[in-house]
Amino acid sequence: MLLKDKICFVSGAGKGLGRAIVEAFLREGAIVYANDREIGSLEIYADNPNVEIMYFDVSDSYADKEAILRIKKEKGCLDVLVNNAGIMTDALIGTISRALMEEIFATNVFGTMELLQLAAKQMISQHSGSIINLSSIVGITGNPGQLVYSATKGAIIALTKTAAKELGPRGIRVNAIAPGMIDTDMMRSIGDIHLQHHISNIPLGRLGRPTEIAEACVYLASDMSSYVTGHILQVDASVLV
Ligand SMILES: NC(=O)c1ccc[n+]([C@@H]2O[C@H](COP(=O)([O-])OP(=O)(O)OC[C@H]3O[C@@H](n4cnc5c(N)ncnc54)[C@H](OP(=O)(O)O)[C@@H]3O)[C@@H](O)[C@H]2O)c1
């Protein structure tokens, strides 16, 4: 019970890594505010007394504010924020529209920065808290066809380190996880041929499991990582870096 009675917020929890993170947090005794923009995707938690469902788009700054205010009102504290919601659209250099850039940055970076700031205000008043941002291995290595996506994930690394420096003296830890290729709908969207090619270059010979990211999140959320901040935890078997 590493997270017993901890109040946690997880964005993008309707499927994939977000859902695995919610499940792992619940197993560790947490009370979870689960968010997704897809109405209906969180109904599996409708009867779970330890889950509060919040449907909204994290790129909507008004909705972000309402969500953190609701948690403050209902629980009076926020122990863990997981900025997991993210989108990925591939496009080659020369074909990328401004609208696509703005759409991906709005969710992956602006949503993260809005929620980080709102959560930090609450956590500063408690002088405690752990913030976990989902980056990606491509934010470190780059990847052809992912100019925008990799830039958003590189931004997550930079903002995580800055926030860790600024918020450390206020008792708040800020870390990021940089997953390799994990078996979710997002990863499957690249298509079977590409997927098999990538898997053939992974020394462990397989995709990661969502639970393997969730376990890293439990570590960073819990007191097991009490002396870890500003860290980018690569959960990746591709040995690219
Ligand atoms: N899977 C991987 O291999 C991998 C690798 C590196 C990093 N990551 C990162 O890990 C995170 C989770 O990825 P995943 O593979 O679990 O993706 P996923 O399978 O596509 O699931 C993401 C969930 O987040 C929701 N979401 C997207 N934009 C949102 C928004 N603006 N507001 C609220 N919810 C939103 C999605 O809803 P919709 O279905 O409506 O979009 C979906 O339910 C992302 O940040 C991703 O970049 C994943």
Side-chain angles (χ1 to χ4, degrees), residues 3 8-30 32 34-36 41-42 44-45 51 82 84-85 132 134 177 179 182-185 208-219 221 235:
L3 302 175
C8 307
F9 174 89
V10 181
S11 69
K15 63 181 181 182
L17 305 188
R19 180 171 288 184
I21 294 164
V22 171
E23 301 287 341
F25 279 15
L26 290 174
R27 276 196 300 278
E28 297 297 338
V32 183
N35 151 268
D36 205 277
S41 63
L42 297 164
I44 50 162
Y45 300 118
V51 181
V82 183
N84 165 77
I132 303 163
L134 266 291
I177 294 178
I182 314 298
D183 194 355
T184 66
D185 286 357
R209 302 179 193 103
T211 51
E212 291 170 321
I213 300 301
E215 278 152 22
C217 262
V218 169
Y219 167 69
V235 184

Side-chain angles (χ1 to χ4, degrees), residues 12 14-18 35-38 56-59 84-87 107 134-136 149 153 179-182 184-187:
K15 63 181 181 182
L17 305 188
N35 151 268
D36 205 277
R37 64 180 177 182
E38 184 74 31
F56 66 92
D57 187 323
V58 299
S59 67
N84 165 77
I87 51 175
T107 288
L134 266 291
S135 176
S136 165
Y149 179 74
K153 295 302 177 179
M181 300 188 69
I182 314 298
T184 66
D185 286 357
M186 179 185 279
M187 189 47 64

Side-chain angles (χ1 to χ4, degrees), residues 144-166:
Q146 296 196 321
L147 187 80
V148 186
Y149 179 74
S150 67
T152 65
K153 295 302 177 179
I156 293 295
I157 290 171
L159 73 87
T160 295
K161 291 186 176 187
T162 294
K165 287 184 176 168
E166 210 172 307

